């Protein structure tokens, strides 16, 4: 008999809930977490300004109405420390700690055909066997430092935002260089600018950012909202992004221009990215429609940033709004009005090298005391690719995914029986409210395992035909939108040599959930089920 029913890799939102859900089904579970604490994203990304850009009422677990009622968020958009406290509270409240082993990295997982179990090896040399392997390694957890010639010569400290020191970093009186202007770069930049002697932002591609309009969650608002939380959660599950959004329901191109300006201005004042992109039906599918919202946003940037040359450099012109993650910040653009902030355009003068005293571009040298990389992640498949996963006949997952990661419903892949992936390639994952998608995935996985046990099956394996059909659908839906037009991390463009494949399902969280339910109701259609009683 296997040592465990399930091994879970990772203890972020996904791993924590997988431990709880599987244990509640009576399974023997252990999660291995490489970090020294739980929380995943919110354990590692402790940089100043780290904040969720989905509202706290949405970015939280819904599985326990009691938890939902007793926890109070302090702000509309929760900051990293508060989310980490929340996840700690969840682990305390549901007694999850005994089944989570910290400071332990899974290095290998191999399917033993004869025993129908996984042998999981950890970096302390231990091997544990389990009937099921659940990957909860995170879509944005394998961080990426660009290979910059001379970085090892740099005399000052350098940091990656995804491995920020827990004790913090004091930039007072320092000249700091920041590389990376995506969601994280945009969050950290104003925080550094507020204390550093000088901040130099090295920008390759400007990004669109909408205001958060972050504010405290007033007790009366909270009470009123919580009285209908159950109904709200249901609406969220049926929604497109995992957050109920009210749009106009009309295409922007059919709307009178003054009405369009009024609608966008209202949403800009209210803050938040999802309501902004969800305002009209055609913004993410029609370039001409997207041009309207892009122009509105560029006008706002030029209004905020005083120096016209800097404002122009900050105006994105090479990709549709929303095709790269839409950033959110209340103070990023205004930061460029500070005398201690300068912007260097790497398109016109590319990065050349680092030396002891600073950073050189093709045309200039910038003296720096510290360097910050906000250069993101090998998204979706990166963390799983770092594990030597071997399926049936010893086939390596890395090899199977050499042309790009793929999975049936984002949950399972042929040749890897009894292995489930939370928010894998082919799921709505990073283009949804991930807390909700994670819950939906974990519940589906727990349901599938329950079905196998109830019906006497030992194994479930996605069929190649089901995976092919699903990924063809994922691709077809993606290419009916503007998403593939951008050189984004969604498509792997930030990782040198990574195949350019768009693997996130943009057909909507609601329709995706329905499809998963149909598959389950049909006895796990698209999976080959096998075991002692399979013949019956
Ligand atoms: C800065 C930042 C901001 C974000 N903001 C939002 C947001 O606003 N809204 C949203 O929906 N999502 C956001 N995300 C995405 C976020 O990653 C998810 O919302 C969610 O936290 C993912 O949870 P997870 O458990 O799937 O993965 P993670 O939180 O990444 O946890 C995975 C864990 O697995 C561990 N692990 C990986 N490999 C191994 C191994 N081999 N052995 C053992 N342990 C391993 C890692 O150490 C990590 O702790 C953000 C991500 C980042 C980085």
């Amino acid at each position: 008999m296997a040592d465990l029913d399930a091994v879970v890799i990772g203890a972020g939102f996904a791993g924590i809930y997988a431990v709880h859900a599987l244990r509640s089904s009576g399974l023997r579970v252990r999660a291995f977490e490489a970090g020294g604490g739980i929380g995943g994203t919110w354990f590692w990304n402790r940089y100043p300004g780290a904040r969720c850009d989905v509202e706290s009422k949405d970015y939280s677990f819904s599985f326990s109405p009691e938890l939902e009622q007793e926890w109070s968020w302090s702000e509309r958009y929760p900051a990293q420390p508060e989310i980490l406290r929340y996840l700690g509270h969840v682990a305390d409240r549901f007694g999850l700690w005994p089944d989570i082993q910290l400071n332990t990295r899974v290095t290998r997982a191999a399917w033993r055909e004869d025993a129908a179990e996984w042998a999981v090896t950890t970096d302390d040399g231990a091997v544990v066997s389990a009937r099921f392997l659940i990957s909860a390694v995170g879509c944005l957890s394998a961080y990426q430092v660009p290979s910059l010639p001379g970085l090892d010569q740099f005399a000052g400290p350098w940091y990656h935002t995804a491995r920020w020191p827990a004790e913090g970093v004091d930039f007072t009186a320092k000249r700091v260089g920041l590389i990376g202007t995506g969601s994280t770069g945009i969050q950290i930049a104003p925080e550094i600018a507020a204390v550093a002697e000088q901040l130099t932002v090295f920008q390759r591609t400007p990004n669109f950012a909408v205001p958060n309009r972050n504010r405290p969650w007033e007790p009366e608002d909270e009470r009123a909202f919580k009285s209908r939380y159950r109904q709200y959660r249901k609406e969220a599950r049926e929604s497109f992004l995992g957050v109920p959004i009210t749009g106009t329901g009309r295409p922007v191109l059919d709307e009178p221009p003054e009405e369009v300006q009024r609608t966008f201005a209202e949403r800009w004042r209210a803050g938040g990215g999802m309501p902004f992109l969800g305002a009209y039906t055609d913004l993410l599918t029609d370039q001409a429609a997207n041009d309207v919202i892009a122009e509105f946003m560029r006008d706002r940037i030029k209004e905020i940033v005083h120096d016209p040359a800097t404002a122009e450099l900050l105006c994105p012109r090479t990709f549709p709004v929303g095709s790269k993650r839409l950033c959110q910040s209340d103070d990023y653009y205004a930061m460029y009005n500070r005398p201690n902030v300068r912007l260097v355009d790497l398109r016109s003068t590319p990065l050349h090298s680092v030396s002891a005293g600073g950073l050189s571009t093709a045309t200039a040298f910038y003296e720096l005391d510290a360097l910050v990389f906000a250069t993101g992640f090998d998204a979706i498949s990166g963390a799983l690719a770092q594990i030597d996963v071997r399926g049936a006949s010893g086939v390596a997952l890395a090899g199977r995914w050499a042309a790009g990661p793929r999975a049936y419903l984002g949950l399972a892949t042929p040749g890897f029986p009894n292995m489930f992936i939370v928010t894998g390639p082919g799921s709505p994952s990073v283009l949804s409210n991930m807390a909700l998608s994670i819950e939906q995935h974990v519940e589906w996985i727990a349901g599938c395992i329950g079905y196998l046990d109830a019906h006497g099956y030992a194994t479930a394996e996605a069929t190649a035909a089901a995976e092919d059909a699903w990924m063809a659908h994922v691709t077809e839906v993606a290419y009916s939108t503007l998403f593939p037009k951008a050189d984004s991390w969604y498509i792997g463009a930030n990782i040198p040599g990574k195949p350019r494949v768009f693997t996130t399902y943009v057909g909507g969280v609601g329709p995706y959930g329905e499809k998963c339910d149909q598959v389950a109701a049909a006895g796990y259609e698209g999976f080959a089920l096998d075991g002692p009683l399979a013949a019956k």
Side-chain angles (χ1 to χ4, degrees):
M1 187 166 94
D3 301 327
L4 295 164
D5 292 308
V7 158
V8 175
I9 316 176
F13 254 96
I16 290 171
Y17 187 42
V19 168
H20 177 63
L22 296 177
R23 223 177 52 177
S24 305
S25 310
L27 301 180
R28 296 163 304 139
V29 187
R30 190 180 310 154
F32 293 111
E33 166 54 57
I38 62 165
T41 291
W42 308 104
F43 171 82
W44 295 112
N45 292 263
R46 294 165 187 254
Y47 60 86
R51 189 177 291 285
C52 188
D53 57 19
V54 170
E55 293 191 39
S56 48
K57 65 184 182 346
D58 299 291
Y59 194 75
S60 48
F61 287 121
S62 70
F63 68 84
S64 161
E66 296 78 24
L67 169 69
E68 184 173 84
Q69 289 296 326
E70 76 198 14
W71 181 265
S72 277
W73 294 102
S74 68
E75 291 179 285
R76 178 182 184 191
Y77 292 103
Q80 171 269 331
E82 190 169 23
I83 304 175
L84 194 58
R85 273 201 306 281
Y86 170 75
L87 292 172
H89 170 73
V90 172
D92 289 343
R93 193 187 192 287
F94 297 98
L96 305 181
W97 295 104
D99 296 314
I100 301 175
Q101 188 171 321
L102 300 174
N103 297 307
T104 311
R105 178 173 289 279
V106 171
T107 54
R108 190 167 201 272
W111 177 246
R112 289 180 183 150
E113 234 142 343
D114 46 349
E117 63 189 27
W118 284 92
V120 179
T121 309
T122 48
D123 58 358
D124 52 4
V127 181
V128 67
S129 62
R131 292 161 58 215
F132 297 95
L133 180 67
I134 317 291
S135 169
V137 295
C139 290
L140 299 173
S141 75
Y143 68 104
Q144 153 88 348
V145 180
S147 56
L148 264 181
L151 183 56
D152 55 340
Q153 309 291 314
F154 187 56
W158 64 266
Y159 308 92
H160 192 288
T161 47
R163 285 297 177 277
W164 204 258
E167 65 280 12
V169 179
D170 184 5
F171 288 124
T172 311
K174 297 275 193 299
R175 295 161 302 174
V176 183
L178 171 66
I179 298 179
T181 50
S183 286
T184 288
I186 281 174
Q187 287 185 336
I188 195 173
E191 304 286 331
I192 299 175
V195 294
E197 180 183 315
Q198 184 170 51
L199 171 66
T200 308
V201 179
F202 296 91
Q203 172 187 277
R204 192 176 56 186
T205 313
N207 267 298
F208 292 103
V210 294
N212 269 329
R213 311 292 181 210
N214 195 26
R215 55 175 181 266
W217 220 28
E218 300 300 341
E220 315 83 73
D221 294 345
E222 185 184 346
R223 262 195 305 277
F225 176 79
K226 280 185 171 175
S227 66
R228 60 177 295 270
Y229 222 151
R230 292 286 84 199
Q231 174 58 25
Y232 183 83
R233 296 289 200 187
K234 184 170 172 296
E235 289 163 21
R237 285 233 174 178
E238 290 163 0
S239 71
F240 204 76
L241 294 167
V243 174
I245 298 290
T246 314
T248 60
R250 297 185 295 275
V252 75
L253 294 176
D254 289 358
E255 197 89 330
E258 57 286 2
E259 187 56 29
V260 170
Q261 292 301 310
R262 204 184 55 75
T263 301
F264 283 149
E266 240 170 42
R267 286 174 189 239
W268 183 269
R269 264 196 306 278
M274 288 179 173
F276 202 70
L277 280 177
Y280 292 101
T281 53
D282 50 354
L283 295 175
L284 288 168
T285 52
D286 185 326
Q287 185 60 58
N290 197 277
D291 290 344
V292 177
I293 190 173
E295 207 44 44
F296 175 88
M297 294 198 62
R298 287 191 285 261
D299 286 347
R300 300 291 77 70
I301 297 170
K302 290 180 203 159
E303 237 169 44
I304 300 169
V305 180
H306 299 160
D307 173 45
T310 305
E312 185 49 41
L313 281 179
L314 288 167
C315 284
R317 295 192 184 276
T318 55
F319 60 91
V321 182
S323 63
K324 285 183 174 226
R325 191 172 179 93
L326 184 57
C327 305
Q328 292 186 205
S329 171
D330 286 328
D331 38 18
Y332 178 67
Y333 293 126
M335 174 196 79
Y336 287 96
N337 297 329
R338 297 177 65 109
N340 69 331
V341 177
R342 62 184 169 178
L343 181 64
V344 175
D345 172 30
L346 298 178
R347 292 269 176 201
S348 59
T349 168
L351 269 186
H352 181 267
S353 58
V354 185
S355 54
L359 207 151
S360 300
T361 65
T363 55
F365 176 69
Y366 297 89
E367 279 184 53
L368 300 171
D369 303 310
L371 252 178
V372 174
F373 292 101
T375 43
F377 303 88
D378 181 352
I380 306 187
S381 56
L384 198 45
Q386 289 175 0
I387 305 171
D388 182 14
V389 183
R390 303 280 167 160
S393 314
V395 169
L397 183 65
R400 258 215 92 239
W401 282 1
R406 44 197 289 112
Y408 176 40
L409 300 172
L411 285 160
T413 192
F416 296 80
N418 287 9
M419 179 176 102
F420 295 103
I421 310 168
V422 184
T423 63
S427 91
S429 70
V430 289
L431 281 161
S432 68
N433 163 12
M434 288 202 71
L436 182 147
S437 285
I438 285 168
E439 269 195 312
Q440 183 270 346
H441 281 58
V442 168
E443 284 162 14
W444 190 94
I445 293 166
C448 180
I449 294 176
Y451 179 90
L452 298 179
D453 286 349
H455 292 80
Y457 293 111
T459 60
E461 180 181 343
T463 67
E467 184 185 78
D468 288 349
W470 178 251
M471 290 312 287
H473 174 58
V474 168
T475 306
E476 188 190 346
V477 177
Y479 280 85
S480 68
T481 71
L482 301 173
F483 283 105
K485 281 191 148 189
D487 284 336
S488 66
W489 56 259
Y490 295 137
I491 208 161
N494 62 327
I495 303 296
K498 193 168 180 179
R500 198 185 164 95
V501 189
F502 194 94
T503 57
T504 302
Y505 183 56
V506 289
V509 164
Y512 170 83
E514 266 175 42
K515 169 73 182 173
C516 290
D517 291 346
Q518 284 162 10
V519 165
Y524 295 89
E525 191 178 23
F527 283 84
L529 309 183
D530 206 355
L533 303 182
K536 294 185 182 174

